[in-house]
Amino acid sequence: MVGEVQDNVWPLPKFYFSVDISDVGQHLAFQEVTGLDIKADVIESSAGSSPVFSKIKMPGPVQSGVVTLKKGVFVKDNALFDWLSALRMNTVSRHTVTIRLLDQEGDATMVWMLSNAFPTKVTGTDLKADGNEVAVAEIELSHEGITIERS
């Protein structure tokens, strides 16, 4: 009914999510994901027969940004660096990356799928002798598009 507030309707928290990279090996836990954006270019044109002196706008090619994943550094956890090292041997190991926003029961409520993703940059942690933060590495992924599914 219009105007009626439901008791179980709340925005989802963004801290409960999972990331799966096909064929990379063990399950990888990430602490942050950024760059899940999609943008359509705008094409402007003038119609010669139009009596209006303004341009018409149409959607153009769709672009996706670079997706950045951040995770804690663990002993003998080399999966991301191994994936990047495949690029040095002039081979590109492309994978499907699935990012799921989860509800309190652990069920996916929104899913982003990156097709043909490959790493373009892996950044190791910074080091400080007087610091007490955990070591965090980040990986940047290029891909050929994002598919978004909602449940």
Side-chain angles (χ1 to χ4, degrees):
M1 309 213 186
V2 178
E4 186 175 317
V5 178
Q6 294 180 0
D7 292 335
N8 61 353
V9 178
W10 293 97
L12 291 169
K14 63 181 184 177
F15 61 82
Y16 193 23
F17 62 94
S18 68
V19 178
D20 295 314
I21 302 173
S22 65
D23 301 326
V24 166
Q26 77 264 15
H27 176 71
L28 301 173
F30 291 92
Q31 72 181 44
E32 185 176 338
V33 177
T34 59
L36 296 173
D37 56 308
I38 302 170
K39 175 186 168 191
D41 289 338
V42 176
I43 300 173
E44 294 183 355
S45 65
S46 300
S49 61
S50 175
V52 181
F53 293 109
S54 64
K55 295 182 177 181
I56 60 170
K57 296 182 181 185
M58 302 181 314
V62 175
Q63 298 179 20
S64 300
V66 173
V67 174
T68 303
L69 307 172
K70 293 184 181 179
K71 68 181 295 305
V73 177
F74 294 92
V75 176
K76 298 182 182 179
D77 179 12
N78 296 320
L80 298 180
F81 293 98
D82 291 344
W83 191 13
L84 183 67
S85 70
L87 295 175
R88 286 190 221 132
M89 295 185 295
N90 202 21
T91 58
V92 178
S93 178
R94 295 175 183 256
H95 297 285
T96 299
V97 177
T98 306
I99 301 154
R100 294 177 181 89
L101 180 62
L102 306 173
D103 63 12
Q104 58 271 22
E105 284 84 31
D107 298 324
T109 59
M110 196 163 184
V111 179
W112 294 265
M113 293 186 69
L114 313 179
S115 62
N116 293 323
F118 61 95
T120 54
K121 180 179 179 182
V122 174
T123 305
T125 187
D126 59 334
L127 303 171
K128 294 192 305 188
D130 63 345
N132 63 357
E133 299 91 11
V134 293
V136 175
E138 74 179 52
I139 182 169
E140 291 182 4
L141 302 176
S142 289
H143 54 89
E144 295 180 352
I146 297 177
T147 304
I148 302 173
E149 298 174 5
R150 299 201 49 149
S151 55

